[in-house]
Amino acid sequence: MSTAKDLKEAGLKTTLPRLRILSVLEGAKGHFTAEEVYKSLLDAGEEIAFATVYRVLTQFENAGLVLRHNFEGGRSVFELDDGQHHDHMVCVKCTTVTEFFDPLIEERQSAVAEEYGFKLEDHSLYMYGLCKNCQEA
Amino acid sequence: MSTAKDLKEAGLKTTLPRLRILSVLEGAKGHFTAEEVYKSLLDAGEEIAFATVYRVLTQFENAGLVLRHNFEGGRSVFELDDGQHHDHMVCVKCTTVTEFFDPLIEERQSAVAEEYGFKLEDHSLYMYGLCKNCQEA
DNA sequence: TTGATTGCAAAGAATTTGCACTGGG
DNA sequence: CCCAGTGCAAATTCTTTGCAATCAA
């Protein structure tokens, strides 16, 4: 669980908005758009400005606390960075995000990069389709 | 090479703007933002509206003539769809895009999807880093 | 002719920024 | 006390749309 400690280490002051945003990100779903974070706080009766949500998420991203994804559709999606790299499966119907990790895929990526003399810094693999639930429905 | 024939088959009238945009997409680099397409045409002395570039690219996308990518950085990148699926390596310095295809990666993606009961419709794999040239510089 | 296509300008959506006020350390 | 942090509104950036004029078939 992320705490004030993480904030301090990132050189960020421990403020209410930041703690609240952290606690939203820790929620069950794990993947949120800025709007979802904002609405979630409003629904919980918290006062917060939309701009602050964006600013804080961006600060968290720079501090390495949060990962930002650009799935299809234009909106950014944020998740807490637990240090465990993983890729994502996004349901095109219910927008649910499922994480996965495949060592072989990772390995092949490095191999391909090396083949091309490309210095790999980062990568993103998103798979789009229908999750189990949405297929049945 | 894409031609008026492709347009007709897609139910699109053969117009100058469309042909010009097609010819830009056929250019060497192969991957363009809407702005690059627009500027390329202006530089060539062609009259065209920015909105038309976007409209045409979107029509081409819907017609299956063009693929649209959302690399990091917010801007969409377009390329002609030659029917040969491939993934992309994007140089974070010079923004050059290199295509690659790895059967093993493709295979593992299907396997992972199946494991999760996920019906895979599409995927995007982008690798970010430094291309050969930019490492040397 | 006639509906498809364009150009232009204005609208939209997502995200960022300027600035004065507030608050954590 | 003092500067980081926040709220608010306005600005940016990328992309889409409405509408009247224009063009391909």
Side-chain angles (χ1 to χ4, degrees):
Chain A
M1 158 161 181
S2 299
T3 63
K5 186 164 159 290
D6 300 296
L7 292 179
K8 282 218 175 127
E9 286 172 359
L12 299 171
K13 283 188 178 169
T14 308
T15 65
L16 233 44
R18 285 178 181 155
L19 289 173
R20 298 232 159 94
I21 290 173
L22 270 186
S23 83
V24 169
L25 292 173
E26 283 161 358
K29 211 179 145 212
H31 297 79
F32 304 86
T33 62
E35 192 180 10
E36 284 167 344
V37 171
Y38 175 66
K39 289 208 169 141
S40 169
L41 289 176
L42 284 198
D43 289 351
E46 309 288 358
E47 296 268 321
I48 195 161
F50 212 147
T52 300
V53 173
Y54 271 108
R55 240 179 323 221
V56 168
L57 286 173
T58 301
Q59 290 161 343
F60 284 2
E61 185 192 7
N62 294 332
L65 291 176
V66 154
L67 294 175
R68 180 189 198 123
H69 301 289
N70 301 291
F71 297 145
E72 280 177 4
R75 348 164 81 77
S76 293
V77 171
F78 302 83
E79 71 171 315
L80 237 33
D81 184 357
D82 61 1
Q84 309 282 299
H85 167 73
H86 53 254
D87 291 306
H88 298 85
M89 262 177 290
V90 184
C91 179
V92 294
K93 190 166 176 194
C94 66
T95 74
T96 298
V97 177
T98 308
E99 305 176 350
F100 72 90
F101 177 81
D102 186 88
L104 203 39
I105 291 180
E106 303 292 323
E107 186 186 311
R108 287 303 303 158
Q109 287 183 42
S110 303
V112 169
E114 192 163 350
E115 247 173 67
Y116 284 83
F118 189 83
K119 189 175 172 206
L120 195 53
E121 295 184 347
D122 193 17
H123 76 263
S124 68
L125 168 57
Y126 304 138
M127 305 203 302
Y128 301 96
L130 289 175
C131 69
K132 213 164 187 170
N133 286 334
C134 288
Q135 287 173 59
E136 291 160 359
Chain B
M1 160 161 178
S2 298
T3 62
K5 185 164 160 288
D6 301 297
L7 293 179
K8 281 219 175 123
E9 286 173 357
L12 299 171
K13 283 189 178 164
T14 307
T15 66
L16 234 43
R18 284 177 181 155
L19 290 173
R20 299 229 158 96
I21 289 174
L22 268 187
S23 83
V24 169
L25 292 173
E26 283 161 359
K29 210 179 146 211
H31 297 79
F32 304 86
T33 61
E35 194 182 8
E36 285 167 343
V37 171
Y38 175 67
K39 289 207 169 145
S40 169
L41 289 176
L42 283 198
D43 290 350
E46 309 289 356
E47 296 267 320
I48 195 162
F50 213 146
T52 300
V53 172
Y54 270 108
R55 239 178 326 220
V56 169
L57 286 173
T58 302
Q59 290 161 343
F60 285 2
E61 185 192 6
N62 294 331
L65 292 177
V66 154
L67 295 174
R68 179 189 198 122
H69 301 289
N70 301 291
F71 298 144
E72 280 176 5
R75 349 164 79 79
S76 293
V77 170
F78 302 84
E79 71 172 316
L80 237 34
D81 184 357
D82 61 1
Q84 309 282 299
H85 167 72
H86 53 254
D87 291 305
H88 298 84
M89 263 176 287
V90 183
C91 179
V92 295
K93 190 167 176 193
C94 66
T95 75
T96 298
V97 178
T98 307
E99 305 177 350
F100 72 91
F101 177 81
D102 187 88
L104 204 39
I105 291 179
E106 303 293 321
E107 187 187 311
R108 286 301 305 157
Q109 287 183 41
S110 304
V112 169
E114 192 163 349
E115 250 174 63
Y116 284 83
F118 190 83
K119 188 174 174 208
L120 194 54
E121 295 183 347
D122 192 16
H123 76 262
S124 68
L125 169 56
Y126 304 137
M127 306 204 301
Y128 301 97
L130 289 175
C131 69
K132 214 164 187 173
N133 286 334
C134 288
Q135 287 173 60
E136 291 162 359

